[in-house]
Amino acid sequence: MARIRKGSVVVVGCGGVGSWAAIMLVRSGISKIRLVDFDQVTLSSLNRHATAVLADVGTPKVRSIEREIKQIARWVEVDARIDIWRKEQGGDLLEGADWVIDAIDNITTKVELLKYCHEHGIKVFSSMGAGAKSDPTRIQIADISDTMYDPLARSVRRSLRLQGVPSGIPVVYSTEVPGDVKLLPLPEEEFQRGNVKELGVFDDFRVRILPVLGPLPSIFGLNAATWILCELAGKPIANPLPTKGRKKLNERLYRDLQHREQKITGQIINKLPFDEDACGLLFDDIHRGRSAVPPHAIPSRPALVRWDPAQPLALGNCVAMEEKDADTHVKECFEGGKRPEEVWGEECAGVVSRRKEEVRRLEEWVL
C-alpha cells in the first residue's frame, strides 16, 4: 500500500475512460494525480462520465473530477490542467509521472503521446476505443502488438510501427467487431448555419458523436487503473489472458487456405489478399466458429475455402467448413465444375450470402 500511496499518475483524456480510471486510482490510494483535458462536459457525456452531473454541463471535465476527488480524499494532490497534450511541450504535463494513462480519442494526438512516452522511458497504459461496443466479455488487456479486430488499435499499431515503436505498450481494447453503428448525424440546421468544421474545438477533432454504451468506458478505465495499481504495488499482472490465444489457429487457417489456393490456381502464392487476423475474424465472428454447411456444427478441424470459383478470393467469398468438406468443395466445384449450391444446397448458399453481407458491413470498420 505504501508503494501505491507514493505513486504519481497522469491521466491524459478525462472523458468516460479517463474519469473512471482517475477516481478508482484515488479510491485505491494514489495520493498524487494530474488530470489533463481541454474539453467540457456535454449532455452526451453524462451517460458515461464518472463524476459529471447535469450542473457540470459546459464546465471543464477536469474540474468535475477534481471536485469529486476532494470529496473522496481531500489530502490527495490534484493537478487539474485544462489543456491539450502536445508533443512540443509534452514533457511539462508528464513531469514526475510514474505512469501515464492515455485515454485520448484523437488518433494523431494519441500516437504522438505514446511515441513520446516510449522514447522518453515513461510508463504508459493506453485505452483503445470503447465506442460502438456492447459486449464486456470481449474486453482484453494486451501489448499493442497483439491487439486484433479493434479498428482504433489497428490504426494506432500501424502508426507506431511505422515510427519505430512496434511493441512495449500495454493497452485495453475490445475484440468485439462493431455492428451496424455510425457517427450520429448532425441536425440539418447545423449545415445551414455554415461550415460544420467550425463546430469542432480543433481542426482534426470530430464534431459528431459515436454511440457509446455507458458501462463500457468505465470497464476500460477500471482495467487501466487495475493494471497500474498492480504495477505500482510491485505485483504486476504477469500473464494476462492471451488475447491471441487463437493465434496459432488463425495462422493455420491462413496457411491452409494459402495451400488450397495454390492447388486451385496451380501457382505459387506468397501472400493472400488478407492476413491471419482476418482469417480469425472470418471464422470466429462472421461464421461464429461454425461450418457454413448444415447442420452448422463446430468443426473438429476448421478450414477456410473460396466459395465461388468464378470470383476471386476475398473475405466475402470465403467460407468456414470442416477440412474434409473444404477438400470436397475444391474437388466438386473447382475441379468438377459444379456450382456450390448444387453441392451444398440452398440453405448453405443462403447462409453464405448472409455472411457475405456481414463482411461487407464490417470491412469499413475493421479492414
Side-chain angles (χ1 to χ4, degrees):
M1 191 63 189
R3 292 181 178 180
I4 291 176
R5 289 193 185 281
K6 293 178 181 178
S8 175
V9 179
V10 176
V11 181
V12 185
C14 294
V17 174
S19 62
W20 281 98
I23 290 299
M24 192 49 65
L25 285 170
V26 169
R27 288 188 181 277
S28 301
I30 289 291
S31 58
K32 187 175 182 179
I33 190 167
R34 181 176 297 131
L35 310 170
V36 182
D37 201 318
F38 67 90
D39 207 2
Q40 298 178 341
V41 175
T42 62
L43 285 172
S44 66
S45 61
L46 293 181
N47 79 321
R48 55 189 178 273
H49 199 274
T51 64
V53 296
L54 190 59
D56 291 323
V57 172
T59 64
K61 292 178 179 178
V62 295
R63 294 300 184 208
S64 172
I65 301 173
E66 180 185 32
R67 181 196 65 223
E68 186 71 15
I69 288 175
K70 289 303 182 181
Q71 292 179 348
I72 296 170
R74 58 178 178 271
W75 56 84
V76 172
E77 183 180 337
V78 186
D79 182 10
R81 302 286 190 94
I82 306 171
D83 203 348
I84 183 172
W85 188 90
R86 298 179 179 86
K87 61 181 178 181
E88 293 79 13
Q89 66 263 28
D92 295 337
L93 292 175
L94 306 182
E95 184 179 1
D98 295 309
W99 272 91
V100 172
I101 292 179
D102 156 43
I104 302 170
D105 60 5
N106 176 266
I107 187 169
T108 301
T109 310
K110 191 178 202 72
V111 170
E112 288 178 349
L113 172 62
L114 296 177
K115 182 185 178 185
Y116 184 95
C117 289
H118 187 271
E119 290 179 342
H120 291 80
I122 302 172
K123 296 178 181 178
V124 60
F125 186 99
S126 181
S127 173
M128 297 294 114
K133 307 291 174 63
S134 61
D135 186 351
T137 67
R138 295 297 193 98
I139 297 173
Q140 309 272 1
I141 291 179
D143 187 272
I144 184 63
S145 62
D146 287 334
T147 54
M148 58 197 303
Y149 303 168
D150 186 306
L152 178 58
R154 176 182 289 249
S155 297
V156 171
R157 184 177 69 239
R158 287 177 172 174
S159 297
L160 286 173
R161 187 185 298 131
L162 289 173
Q163 298 183 52
V165 186
S167 61
I169 298 173
V171 305
V172 57
Y173 79 107
S174 173
T175 61
E176 179 183 0
V177 178
D180 189 17
V181 293
K182 301 177 181 178
L183 288 171
L184 297 179
L186 284 174
E188 181 61 31
E189 55 264 27
E190 296 294 347
F191 290 92
Q192 295 175 358
R193 291 175 181 175
N195 186 359
V196 294
K197 291 184 177 180
E198 295 177 358
L199 296 174
V201 180
F202 295 98
D203 290 340
D204 58 346
F205 280 68
R206 66 172 183 254
V207 297
R208 294 188 293 161
I209 301 168
L210 187 67
V212 179
L213 186 62
L216 270 294
S218 68
I219 301 174
F220 275 63
L222 297 180
N223 270 270
T226 301
W227 179 275
I228 289 173
L229 288 167
C230 290
E231 288 284 332
L232 290 173
K235 302 290 184 180
I237 301 173
N239 295 297
L241 180 69
T243 55
K244 282 201 173 180
R246 297 179 72 83
K247 182 177 181 180
K248 290 185 178 179
L249 172 61
N250 296 349
E251 290 174 346
R252 186 183 67 75
L253 288 171
Y254 181 93
R255 185 175 60 252
D256 290 353
L257 178 59
Q258 187 178 26
H259 291 163
R260 197 166 283 111
E261 283 294 308
Q262 288 181 162
K263 180 180 179 181
I264 291 171
T265 62
Q267 300 176 348
I268 296 176
I269 298 176
N270 295 319
K271 187 177 181 180
L272 296 177
F274 44 83
D275 60 16
E276 291 92 340
D277 284 356
C279 288
L281 181 150
L282 187 65
F283 179 66
D284 287 326
D285 288 86
I286 302 300
H287 285 276
R288 285 73 163 169
R290 294 179 176 273
S291 171
V293 178
H296 312 296
I298 297 174
S300 59
R301 186 173 175 82
L304 299 178
V305 63
R306 188 177 0 154
W307 174 253
D308 185 352
Q311 299 296 323
L313 178 66
L315 273 187
N317 189 33
C318 193
V319 299
M321 293 182 175
E322 186 72 60
E323 186 177 56
K324 62 180 180 61
D325 290 335
D327 292 339
T328 299
H329 185 78
V330 171
K331 182 178 180 180
E332 296 291 336
C333 298
F334 287 86
E335 298 173 4
K338 294 182 179 179
R339 293 185 299 111
E341 305 90 277
E342 295 180 68
V343 179
W344 305 111
E346 292 299 328
E347 179 186 347
C348 180
V351 169
V352 173
S353 179
R354 291 193 295 274
R355 300 294 182 257
K356 183 176 182 179
E357 175 60 21
E358 289 184 40
V359 170
R360 186 194 66 77
R361 293 199 306 266
L362 293 175
E363 280 183 327
E364 63 179 280
W365 283 95
V366 182
L367 304 176

